[in-house]
């Protein structure tokens, strides 16, 4: 067990926390910085860029803003962002890979501001992409919107999963089962788990002040994934394309507040088709 495990074991006891105005203030600042980090990266996501260069830009941006990159040294992870390209579902490790025209890539960043975690990801097309790749990205964004629309006090985590799954499957895509959204706040990965599939009324009842992520992973092919020998990179077993996007949100008295709103309006970066 490493240090992170010890710390998390101490804080994560399975109870679902609710937070007051100070928590909302803290999460707004953390979510905003995560969104600004991806806003900053957007013009750099072009054919020929090294994924490690994007990681360096993100790390320096977060540190320059007096915040901390949550993923750096988290359970032995050695980078600031995850960059998941084409059939990589999540947790792709930046390195010597160069982005090429036609690739689709998810970039996922989490920053810690005054102890609060802002966890956020978006999809990018690298130059023009195939029409089916753009369609997958569009389905993934619509899926997260439908999931967020299901959030209000008295609804359940299962309502969120049900909204996402029924939409994604109606579009002849599939929802990844092996990874889920999560509570967050002062803890990075906290209770409850937010499954992106499920039954109406199942799971935990949502209450004002709960904070969690919604981060559906959607595949063009089958939902099955496997993790590569690096211990992180998750890929589709059938090598079909996969897409993901993620917001950190809080349950309000009548719905949801999105903490990771892009100040530049860049949550859905424009994707061109070939
Ligand atoms: N940001 C990811 C999430 O959405 C977690 C990445 S953990 C890492 O929960 F160590 F892979 F970076
Ligand atoms: Co994330
Ligand atoms: Co997350």
């Amino acid at each position: 067990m490493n240090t992170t495990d010890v710390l998390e074991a101490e804080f994560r006891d399975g109870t679902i926390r609710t937070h007051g105005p100070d928590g909302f203030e803290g999460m707004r600042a953390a979510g905003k910085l995560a969104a600004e980090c991806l806003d900053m990266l957007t013009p750099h996501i072009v054919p020929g860029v090294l994924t490690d260069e994007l990681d360096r830009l993100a790390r320096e941006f977060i540190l320059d803003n007096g915040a901390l990159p949550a993923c750096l040294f988290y359970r032995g992870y050695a980078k600031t962002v995850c960059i998941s390209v084409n059939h990589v579902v999540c947790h792709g490790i930046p390195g010597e890979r160069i982005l090429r025209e036609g690739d689709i890539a998810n970039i996922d960043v989490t920053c810690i501001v005054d102890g609060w975690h802002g966890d956020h990801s978006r999809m990018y097309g690298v130059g023009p992409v195939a029409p089916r790749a753009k369609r997958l990205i569009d389905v993934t964004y619509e899926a997260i919107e439908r999931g967020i629309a299901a959030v209000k006090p008295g609804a359940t985590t299962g309502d969120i999963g049900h909204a996402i799954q029924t939409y994604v499957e109606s579009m002849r895509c599939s929802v990844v089962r092996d990874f889920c959204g999560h509570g967050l706040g002062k803890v990075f990965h906290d209770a409850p788990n937010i499954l992106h599939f499920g039954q109406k009324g199942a799971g935990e009842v949502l209450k004002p002040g709960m904070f969690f992520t919604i981060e559906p992973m959607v595949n063009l092919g089958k939902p099955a994934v496997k993790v590569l020998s690096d211990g992180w990179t998750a890929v589709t077993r059938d090598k079909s394309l996969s897409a993901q996007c993620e917001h950190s949100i809080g349950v309000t008295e009548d719905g949801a507040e999105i903490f990771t709103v892009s100040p530049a309006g860049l949550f859905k970066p424009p994707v061109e088709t070939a």
Side-chain angles (χ1 to χ4, degrees), residues 91 108-110 119-121 180-184 188-189 212-215 244 246-248:
H91 302 165
D108 189 339
V109 66
T110 307
D119 188 2
H120 181 41
S121 83
C180 59
H182 48 92
L184 86 174
F188 189 1
H189 292 111
F212 50 83
T213 71
I214 301 181
E215 50 181 299
Q244 179 179 26
E246 174 173 26
H247 271 315
S248 296

Side-chain angles (χ1 to χ4, degrees), residues 17-34 62 66-71 109-120 182-190 209-213 248-250 259-260:
R17 274 164 256 269
T18 56
H19 305 266
D22 292 355
F24 277 83
E25 276 305 311
M27 289 299 288
R28 273 177 208 131
K32 181 162 181 256
L33 191 67
I62 292 167
L68 292 171
C71 295
V109 66
T110 307
C111 32
I112 308 174
V113 176
D114 291 334
W116 298 98
H117 290 71
D119 188 2
H120 181 41
H182 48 92
L184 86 174
K186 296 250 173 175
V187 179
F188 189 1
H189 292 111
D190 207 349
M210 286 182 183
F211 297 163
F212 50 83
T213 71
S248 296
I249 69 169
F259 297 127
T260 38

